[in-house]
Amino acid sequence: MQLESEDEIIEKIKMEVSSDNLENLYLIGGSLRLLGRCFMDYNKSIIKNLHNQVIEPNLFLEFLDQLENLQKFQRFFAQYKVNKYAIIVSKALIKYFKPKNLVISTFGLKEGVRFNILSKEEQRKDIVFERCIDFTKTFANEISVESYKNLFLSLGFDVNEKQIKLFSIALILSQYTRHIDKNHKADWIVSFILTTDIPFDQKQRAALIVAIANSLSSKANIIPKSLRKLLSREEYSFSRIIGSLLKIAVIIDGPLLSKPSFGIKTKGNFLEISTQHVLPKIVFDKVCEQLKNISFMKKQLNSAR
């Protein structure tokens, strides 16, 4: 039996599951993911990859209403061949479950079936981190990630597992630019993170761009403004701290990172660099500038909490 209306679909859903409010409602399958692509394209999203993109449900409902009714939308999206039943199903799901977020699923139905075939060990792996390692496998083993994580933790502020993971990914991907001309590294990494099929969510993409691009460039406009808006004050400050620490590592140890030859000590509200050798003044001044940036961002971070 073909269900033709939202009410019919909602009644069918009621028979199977309760309507407890959801944190996230995932759009899975080609037709629903296509609606997500239409939404992103119409709103000229700077992020081009669909994976894990988060959409506000009310905005998506408004978009679907217009997509059905307005002629200009129909002309705009003629090329997409949108399935009208996908629109009806999406609206019914949103109205019934009332989720806080809509998330465009990284995987389709086939991938879900294949995932269940994998061993428990493979299922437990972090797909985002593993994909980053895969991109950089020619030199990833040269980087002592644990040593840099310990250096990061020595900055003296509370971090969670998600933030440590963000730092580790930023460290690895910053080295993915090692064969790119130094004048184009920052622009290249911005483009790469915006378009790669590594399944970052949109906040991860924005945070990684802020962190890595700031570590590679001193240009104030290197970060698109629309990306900054995706991050809270706390998230933006944290990303800037990662960028400054990566920049210090490159200033002292050169562009090909392996293991930090320096340490950072906290003394009250100040940070102090510790090295085995005396740094040339020009290098020391650059390091001090980044330490000041970290201290300032730490204050911003604490005030945002």
Side-chain angles (χ1 to χ4, degrees):
M1 181 180 68
Q2 183 73 58
L3 301 178
E4 296 287 345
S5 72
E6 296 168 36
D7 291 337
E8 289 178 326
I9 293 172
I10 288 173
E11 287 301 317
K12 193 70 174 176
I13 297 172
K14 281 181 181 178
M15 296 168 61
E16 303 294 334
V17 291
S18 67
S19 62
D20 294 340
N21 289 4
L22 299 178
E23 182 72 25
N24 296 319
L25 177 63
Y26 287 84
L27 302 183
I28 301 175
S31 296
L32 299 187
R33 282 167 55 86
L34 180 59
L35 290 178
R37 166 59 67 196
C38 291
F39 179 85
M40 290 173 65
D41 288 354
Y42 190 79
N43 287 282
K44 296 182 171 60
S45 172
I46 190 170
I47 297 174
K48 302 305 178 188
N49 199 289
L50 277 173
H51 296 332
N52 277 332
Q53 293 308 299
V54 179
I55 300 172
E56 187 179 326
N58 286 337
L59 292 179
F60 197 63
L61 279 176
E62 291 175 9
F63 171 77
L64 294 180
D65 286 338
Q66 293 172 318
L67 186 58
E68 279 186 306
N69 300 320
L70 297 186
Q71 189 176 1
K72 67 172 185 177
F73 272 66
Q74 292 170 0
R75 287 200 304 268
F76 186 85
F77 291 117
Q79 58 182 315
Y80 293 91
K81 298 180 180 178
V82 170
N83 186 321
K84 72 172 185 176
Y85 294 108
I87 298 175
I88 297 171
V89 168
S90 298
K91 292 169 72 173
L93 289 170
I94 295 168
K95 290 176 181 179
Y96 182 68
F97 288 111
K98 301 179 178 62
K100 292 182 180 179
N101 301 302
L102 285 179
V103 184
I104 303 175
S105 175
T106 299
F107 305 112
L109 298 177
K110 293 193 295 292
E111 288 82 2
V113 172
R114 290 169 184 165
F115 181 81
N116 286 329
I117 298 172
L118 296 175
S119 67
K120 296 297 183 184
E121 181 183 358
E122 287 295 319
Q123 289 183 17
R124 283 193 293 268
K125 286 184 178 179
D126 184 327
I127 185 172
V128 172
F129 190 76
E130 293 297 325
R131 286 295 309 280
C132 292
I133 292 292
D134 189 55
F135 265 97
T136 58
K137 58 187 174 185
T138 56
F139 57 80
N141 291 334
E142 301 170 12
I143 305 172
S144 177
V145 176
E146 284 301 315
S147 297
Y148 284 101
K149 279 166 63 174
N150 291 334
L151 177 66
F152 176 61
L153 294 172
S154 73
L155 296 177
F157 57 95
D158 295 331
V159 291
N160 56 41
E161 193 61 36
K162 185 177 179 181
Q163 291 170 321
I164 294 173
K165 173 185 168 183
L166 183 70
F167 170 76
S168 301
I169 292 173
L171 169 66
I172 292 168
L173 289 186
S174 71
Q175 292 299 285
Y176 194 39
T177 65
R178 56 172 58 189
H179 300 304
I180 305 296
D181 184 283
K182 65 179 182 179
N183 296 315
H184 303 291
K185 284 178 183 282
D187 290 323
W188 186 89
I189 201 67
V190 170
S191 177
F192 171 76
I193 294 174
L194 286 176
T195 57
T196 180
D197 65 353
I198 297 175
F200 301 120
D201 63 43
Q202 60 193 30
K203 281 186 176 288
Q204 280 180 315
R205 288 182 196 268
L208 286 169
I209 286 173
V210 170
I212 303 174
N214 273 311
S215 75
L216 297 172
S217 174
S218 57
K219 292 192 295 185
N221 62 348
I222 194 65
I223 311 297
K225 289 183 179 179
S226 55
L227 277 181
R228 295 187 187 186
K229 293 177 182 178
L230 293 176
L231 301 176
S232 67
R233 184 179 175 186
E234 180 181 352
E235 291 164 337
Y236 180 73
S237 298
F238 183 79
S239 301
R240 289 290 302 273
I241 288 172
I242 294 176
S244 288
L245 183 58
L246 292 177
K247 196 161 195 172
I248 290 172
V250 170
I251 290 170
I252 295 177
D253 292 332
L256 306 183
L257 301 181
S258 57
K259 189 176 182 179
S261 66
F262 63 94
I264 297 177
K265 300 176 181 178
T266 58
K267 289 193 173 182
N269 294 325
F270 299 96
L271 297 172
E272 187 178 274
I273 199 79
S274 171
T275 61
Q276 294 180 343
H277 307 287
V278 176
L279 297 175
K281 185 177 185 306
I282 188 170
V283 172
F284 182 74
D285 288 345
K286 289 180 179 179
V287 169
C288 285
E289 181 182 351
Q290 296 308 314
L291 289 176
K292 288 177 183 176
N293 287 343
I294 293 174
S295 294
F296 176 75
M297 288 299 163
K298 279 180 67 177
K299 292 179 181 177
Q300 295 284 95
L301 197 60
N302 291 332
S303 65
R305 287 174 171 172

